[in-house]
Amino acid sequence: MSTGATISSMSSYAILGCGSVGHAVAESLDDEGKDVLILDKDEDRVEALRDQDLNAVTQDIADPSVVDAVGGRNVVLILASDVEANKAAVKAIREQGGDQFLVVRASDPISGDELRELGADVVINPSEVIANSALRTLESGEMEYKARQLAEILRGADGDLAILTHHNPDPDSIASAVALRAIAENYDVDADILYEGDIGHQENRAFVNLLGIELTERSEAPSLDEYGAVALVDHMKSGELEIRAGLDVFIDQYEPEEPLDAAFVDIRPNVSATSTILTKYIQEFDISPSQTVATALLYGIRAETLDFKRDTTPADLTAAAYLYPFADHETLEQVESPSMSPETLDVLAEAIQNREVQGSHLISNAGFIRDRDALTQAASHLLNLEGITTTAVFGIAEGTIYLSARSKDIRLNIGKLLQDTFGDIGEAAGHSTQASVEIPLGVFGGIETTEENRDTLLSLSEEAVRRKLFEAMGVEGSNDTNGS
């Protein structure tokens, strides 16, 4: 058994310097039944502490004899307002070989560094503590205010709520919409989740199917004018704000580039997933999330942060920790490990064979394809190659060049890069880490997709995509780095 000082349920405490901070700590520890000794040089203060039945002794903490006064106490809190006295106490304890756990009060960052050099284990600055507490209180108060605003919108909705995801919605967008629908239902408001484009990527389809998430294609839904309220969630990944007037709710992690006219707006660029924002609302409304809602939100956060390996914030981690006990982890495992179709395997094999790498950027031509979604999965898989930070895989289908790109390079906004590079000849969409482009082959002179001109079309796609993309990335393409 170790006889050294340890921090455990049997720890004993000494508080050196008992002003307002020390007094508050002493009372809290005493209320918890802790063994606390207080040392202070002010005799009147010590007498007052004794009158409160606190164990207090008169002692100048700047005097080296403080070491003997502390005795065998294994946690020492040095909390005097006189930082020089605190430094003297730390120095005396450490020079005498004391191995107590020392928590010491500083007055500013410089004195904090000096205290750490002398041997303090933890340094606290009351002004920073107060500021952090004030910020937490402000954040909590702001969240409460926002929740009241959202509740008023839902109570006042004259009909169902339309919740629009971004184009070709990803798990974060879908999960955010699912959570907002659950909040709306809490106020007896029915909601439809509307989307345009495709539910691409096998993981995304598995996500929707396994959780039984009801989504409605925009073309099959009533006109937005027929809904009592309209909401956009995680919408700006598409790069454009679809609705500029008559919008009731806007919740996103990305700022719109143009002014937004909405009754309720919550934009938080300091989180990495809109699912994190919606989780905070679930908590604020005191809604116990269903297994489906919790699983969707947790997957939304994990997908957006690459399983907490990319741009993860404390808020994302806190939200995920809250959701974890409610989620269906068996379903999550199924979602994250869907079977790969033969078409996807073919496209991935073609992309691997034709890959060209310049620096940390990889571009590949998958040739003629049947399933556009396979390009997305190929780009994601190739991003796992050692040394690769950005991937782009393109192919031809139905008279169009389709390109899917992924990036984990924090210096590169792949969505903006594709928009700048191909926006004049095609349609680009996406954000900083993932994006896509569609380029109609008609821009090259109306060439038809026939068996006879396949080689010509492939050559055109190479010229239109690979060279321009490498140039936009700041590197020059070549043909000798394709892994052959």
Side-chain angles (χ1 to χ4, degrees):
M1 178 182 296
S2 173
T3 58
T6 58
I7 300 176
S8 68
S9 59
M10 300 302 292
S11 291
S12 55
Y13 301 81
I15 295 178
L16 280 56
C18 198
S20 59
V21 175
H23 191 193
V25 174
E27 285 188 321
S28 295
L29 291 173
D30 187 66
D31 289 343
E32 295 175 10
K34 304 295 186 183
D35 178 12
V36 183
L37 170 66
I38 302 171
L39 306 178
D40 196 284
K41 68 178 181 180
D42 188 323
E43 293 183 1
D44 292 338
R45 182 179 294 162
V46 168
E47 192 63 34
L49 292 168
R50 288 173 178 169
D51 289 342
Q52 298 176 45
D53 294 326
L54 294 171
N55 181 14
V57 174
T58 304
Q59 170 69 47
D60 183 355
I61 69 169
D63 192 286
S65 62
V66 72
V67 176
D68 296 326
V70 167
R73 308 279 165 162
N74 47 26
V75 179
V76 181
L77 300 101
I78 307 174
L79 304 175
S81 57
D82 183 350
V83 176
E84 294 304 317
N86 293 348
K87 291 179 185 177
V90 173
K91 183 177 180 181
I93 291 171
R94 291 306 190 216
E95 286 184 347
Q96 291 296 319
D99 62 354
Q100 292 95 333
F101 188 81
L102 301 185
V103 179
V104 191
R105 174 178 175 174
S107 59
D108 52 52
I110 294 176
S111 63
D113 292 340
E114 293 171 346
L115 286 164
R116 291 186 187 90
E117 290 177 3
L118 289 169
D121 294 293
V122 175
V123 173
I124 57 174
N125 188 335
S127 60
E128 290 183 1
V129 172
I130 293 170
N132 290 335
S133 177
L135 288 173
R136 286 194 297 271
T137 301
L138 176 63
E139 181 180 351
S140 175
E142 185 179 14
M143 189 69 200
E144 182 180 345
Y145 173 69
K146 286 284 190 183
R148 286 202 306 269
Q149 281 188 310
L150 182 56
E152 289 175 8
I153 296 287
L154 295 173
R155 288 193 190 99
D158 185 20
D160 295 349
L161 172 67
I163 306 174
L164 278 66
T165 67
H166 67 68
H167 195 76
N168 300 329
D170 64 3
D172 186 28
S173 189
I174 296 170
S176 299
V178 167
L180 182 57
R181 179 165 60 187
I183 294 170
E185 289 173 351
N186 195 53
Y187 286 88
D188 298 321
V189 175
D190 292 329
D192 294 336
I193 300 175
L194 312 181
Y195 75 97
E196 290 185 314
D198 300 316
I199 308 294
H201 205 297
Q202 286 172 297
E203 283 187 17
N204 295 353
R205 292 196 292 268
F207 168 65
V208 170
N209 294 334
L210 288 171
L211 290 178
I213 297 172
E214 294 182 10
L215 304 173
T216 303
E217 286 194 53
R218 179 82 176 273
S219 60
E220 298 178 1
S223 166
L224 294 182
D225 294 336
E226 297 182 37
Y227 285 93
V230 177
L232 301 185
V233 292
D234 195 47
H235 196 77
M236 291 313 299
K237 285 176 189 168
S238 298
E240 295 184 5
L241 186 60
E242 179 181 356
I243 300 174
R244 304 188 187 281
L247 181 61
D248 298 281
V249 176
F250 183 90
I251 302 175
D252 211 308
Q253 68 189 96
Y254 294 105
E255 293 267 6
E257 295 183 358
E258 299 181 21
L260 182 67
D261 180 17
F264 174 87
V265 177
D266 191 350
I267 302 169
R268 304 192 193 188
N270 60 330
V271 301
S272 292
T274 305
S275 292
T276 296
I277 305 173
L278 267 299
T279 300
K280 298 299 182 184
Y281 278 104
I282 290 285
Q283 292 176 282
E284 186 63 36
F285 282 111
D286 198 23
I287 298 172
S288 182
S290 68
Q291 192 173 68
T292 295
V293 171
T295 305
L297 286 171
L298 181 56
Y299 183 60
I301 296 171
R302 289 174 59 169
E304 203 66 14
T305 61
L306 290 182
D307 212 10
F308 310 113
K309 295 191 288 286
R310 176 186 68 195
D311 300 336
T312 309
T313 70
D316 300 316
L317 294 172
T318 301
Y322 168 77
L323 296 165
Y324 191 87
F326 299 101
D328 183 343
H329 297 281
E330 183 176 338
T331 297
L332 268 179
E333 185 174 348
Q334 289 179 274
V335 169
E336 293 171 335
S337 303
S339 58
M340 185 177 289
S341 69
E343 164 72 359
T344 300
L345 283 173
D346 289 343
V347 169
L348 180 58
E350 192 75 14
I352 291 173
Q353 176 66 28
N354 295 332
R355 73 191 186 277
E356 181 177 343
V357 177
Q358 293 294 323
S360 63
H361 307 302
L362 181 153
I363 300 175
S364 185
N365 187 347
F368 289 88
I369 60 172
R370 295 186 301 276
D371 182 4
R372 287 179 287 161
D373 179 45
L375 296 174
T376 302
Q377 295 184 70
S380 296
H381 281 291
L382 291 173
L383 196 61
N384 294 321
L385 293 177
E386 184 177 357
I388 298 300
T389 62
T390 304
T391 62
V393 181
F394 60 96
I396 297 175
E398 302 171 350
T400 302
I401 300 172
Y402 294 96
L403 179 146
S404 181
R406 294 289 183 270
S407 180
K408 55 186 177 182
D409 187 341
I410 61 174
R411 301 166 299 176
L412 180 68
N413 184 322
I414 192 65
K416 185 176 185 305
L417 185 142
L418 293 189
Q419 179 62 47
D420 292 344
T421 306
F422 302 110
D424 59 336
I425 60 172
E427 183 179 342
H431 54 96
S432 61
T433 61
Q434 58 188 55
S436 61
V437 175
E438 297 180 12
I439 305 171
L441 284 169
V443 301
F444 302 110
I447 299 176
E448 296 181 5
T449 308
T450 64
E451 190 67 31
E452 291 75 17
N453 61 20
R454 286 171 68 92
D455 290 342
T456 302
L457 291 171
L458 287 174
S459 177
L460 281 172
S461 67
E462 285 282 333
E463 179 70 14
V465 176
R466 196 189 296 261
R467 180 182 57 78
K468 289 188 68 174
L469 200 47
F470 271 134
E471 287 178 356
M473 291 174 175
V475 294
E476 294 183 2
S478 68
N479 297 315
D480 58 357
T481 56
N482 61 3
S484 59

